[in-house]
Amino acid sequence: MMAEQNGGVLVVGEVDNAGALRPISFEMIGAGRPLAESLGQGLAVLLMGSGIGEAARTLGAAGANRLLVVDDERLRDLTSEAATAVLTQVIQNLNPTVVLVPGTTAGRDYAPRVAARLGVGLAADCVGLAIEEEELVAVRPILGGRVQTVVRMPGSRPQMATVHPGSFEKAAGDGAAPEPEPVPVELNEAELRVRVRETVQGGGGSADLESADVVVGGGRGLKEAASFGVVEELAAALGGVVGATRAVTDAGWRPHHEQIGQTGRTVTPRLYIAVGVSGAVQHLVGIQGSDYIVAINRDPDAPIFKIASFGIVGDLFEIVPALTAELKAARG
Ligand SMILES: Cc1cc2nc3c(=O)[nH]c(=O)nc-3n(C[C@H](O)[C@H](O)[C@H](O)COP(=O)(O)OP(=O)(O)OC[C@H]3O[C@@H](n4cnc5c(N)ncnc54)[C@H](O)[C@@H]3O)c2cc1C
C-alpha cells in the first residue's frame, strides 16, 4: 500500500482577504519540510484565495518543491465550504501521504470537513510532528494544555493534521520559488452559497496581534482597566500592540479579541513582554512561539519566569513607566 502513495507532503498556506500571507504559512513549511525529508518525498504548498500571485511566490521561496495556486475571484472571502471543496479536490488529484492545514480559525473549520469527505482521520492542533515507519506521529495538547498526547492514524491516507500556530519554526523565505502551478477546481452553487457581505473590524486597535513583531501582554497584576495606560505606552514605544490574559478580558478590562492563550489568540512575535501575568499554562500555549519573552512580575516564583528569556522581579507600576521612559529617551 505504501508504494502507491508517493504524493509527498502537502501543506496549506493562508492569506487574509486582501491576499496578504499570514505568518502561519511559513510555519507550515517549517512543519512540513522535515516530514518530507523523512519520507524522502517532495513538499508541495497550496495557496487558495484571490489575487494571491505575489503571496504564492513569496511562500514558494521558503522551501517548497511544488507551488499549487488556486487563484479564483470566488475565493476572495474564503468560506469553509469553498475551502473544503478546493482542498478535497487537490488531495484527490495529488494523492499526498501527509496533509497539514493551519490550526487557525479557518483551518480548524475546513480541515475536519475535508477529512470527513475523504473518510480519513485528523490529528487536531498539533504541536509536534514526526514520521516513524512512514506514518505520521502527531503530538497534541489535551486537558487544557497540561498534558500532551501522541496520535497515530495507521493506514489512513492521507494522514491529516492541523498545526497549532506558534509551534514550529517559520521557514525563511529566501530560496528560489518553484514555478507556480495554477490548479483548476470545480465549485458548485452549494459550495458557494455562503457569501461574505461585509467585514467589520473589531475595535481596540489590536487587529494585528497575530502578525505583530512586539506584543505587550497585560495581566491581572494591572489591577484595573485604567492601569492599562502603562501597557499601551510601552507597546507604543516599541511599535507593538497590546494583548491580555483571560483574567483581564473576563473582567472586561480589555476586549475579548485581545485575549491570548488557549481560548484566545496565539501570538508569535519577536518580543513578548508579560506585565503582571502569572504564566498559567493556558496563557503560555498562546505565547510559546515568541522569540523572546520578558516577564515583569513582583512574585519571584511566578511560573512565567520559567519560560521567560529575561525576567524583572518588581512592581510593574514602577518598572513599566521607567522602561518606557528609557526607550523613548534612547529613541530620541
Ligand atoms: C479552560 C480554560 C481556558 C483558559 N484559557 C485562557 C486563555 O486563553 N488565556 C489566558 O490568559 N488564560 C486562560 N485561562 C485562565 C488561566 O488559567 C489563568 O487564570 C489566567 O491566565 C491568569 O491571568 P493573569 O496571569 O492575568 O492573572 P493572575 O494569575 O492572577 O496573575 C497576576 C500576576 O500579577 C502579578 N502582580 C500583581 N501585582 C503586581 C505588581 N504590582 N507588579 C508586578 N506583578 C504583579 C502577580 O504576582 C501574579 O503573578 C483559562 C483557564 C481555563 C480553565
Side-chain angles (χ1 to χ4, degrees), residues 144 146 218-223 244-248 259-264 276-283 296-299 302 314-317:
R146 287 187 181 82
R220 186 151 39 197
L222 269 304
K223 308 261 186 304
T245 65
R246 179 160 158 180
V248 164
Q259 184 184 314
I260 297 169
Q262 184 194 324
T263 43
V277 172
S278 61
V281 65
Q282 295 90 354
H283 187 73
I296 302 166
N297 196 305
R298 68 179 177 192
D299 174 6
D315 188 339
L316 72 88
F317 294 103

Side-chain angles (χ1 to χ4, degrees), residues 158-175:
Q159 307 232 307
M160 286 190 68
T162 55
V163 168
H164 184 86
S167 303
F168 293 86
E169 289 278 317
K170 291 185 189 114
D174 50 7

Side-chain angles (χ1 to χ4, degrees), residues 71-86:
D71 196 342
D72 189 315
E73 174 57 33
R74 295 172 298 173
L75 303 179
R76 180 169 301 281
D77 294 295
L78 192 63
T79 63
S80 260
E81 284 84 356
T84 303
V86 171

